[in-house]
Amino acid sequence: MGAKLGGSGGGKFDLGQNSDINVTPFVDVMLVLLIIFMVAIPAATVSIKLDLPPAIPPPPGAKVEEPTLINIQQGGGLYIGEAPTSINSLTADLARIINKPSPTEERVYIRADRTVRYGDFMAVMNLLQEGGYYQVALINEEL
């Protein structure tokens, strides 16, 4: 509690009116809330245990494969890497460029211009799915 020590000329025990804010109850409430939150926060955090494999970098000098990119441009231009192709020959050209025994097992990346119509993009996605290419990733920035 606070008291005013300098009087205004009143009696010996007349301390006058104290208009200062008493912060003791405020500090008490804040300390109680701090303790409550310190106890409640660790119980509220839910952790999910993951058993992830360690990241092992490739050995130095190892050959890194370039990803297979399908580029869709606004005017309907379709490219596999740098090679132009058409929607009708996309899966055949993709299998030829991947050049592996099972090309449908390889991951294929698709990058499209911002102004490409959604229908054109989905036509390419559907064509890849019909051709057996299920590992398709989308790119929204430069590799």
Side-chain angles (χ1 to χ4, degrees), residues 11 76 122:
M122 285 310 297

Side-chain angles (χ1 to χ4, degrees), residues 54-92:
I56 301 171
K63 183 181 175 187
V64 178
E65 283 189 34
E66 289 293 319
T68 305
L69 292 174
I70 297 175
N71 297 308
I72 308 171
Q73 293 182 346
Q74 178 186 7
L78 193 59
Y79 294 88
I80 301 174
E82 301 287 325
T85 186
S86 67
I87 193 80
N88 297 328
S89 63
L90 177 64
T91 54

Side-chain angles (χ1 to χ4, degrees), residues 102-121:
S102 58
T104 57
E105 298 293 322
E106 297 297 316
R107 182 174 305 270
V108 177
Y109 295 90
I110 296 179
R111 179 174 45 212
D113 287 343
R114 181 184 303 245
T115 54
V116 170
R117 292 182 44 224
Y118 181 73
D120 296 340
F121 173 77

Side-chain angles (χ1 to χ4, degrees), residues 8-74:
S8 61
K12 181 179 177 183
F13 297 105
D14 185 21
L15 296 177
Q17 195 172 26
N18 186 359
S19 62
D20 293 337
I21 297 174
N22 188 2
V23 295
T24 304
F26 176 71
V27 171
D28 290 343
V29 169
M30 294 307 292
L31 287 174
V32 168
L33 287 175
L34 177 68
I35 291 170
I36 289 172
F37 284 124
M38 286 173 59
V39 170
I41 292 297
T45 57
V46 177
S47 61
I48 299 172
K49 293 184 180 184
L50 295 177
D51 188 18
L52 296 176
I56 301 171
K63 183 181 175 187
V64 178
E65 283 189 34
E66 289 293 319
T68 305
L69 292 174
I70 297 175
N71 297 308
I72 308 171
Q73 293 182 346
Q74 178 186 7

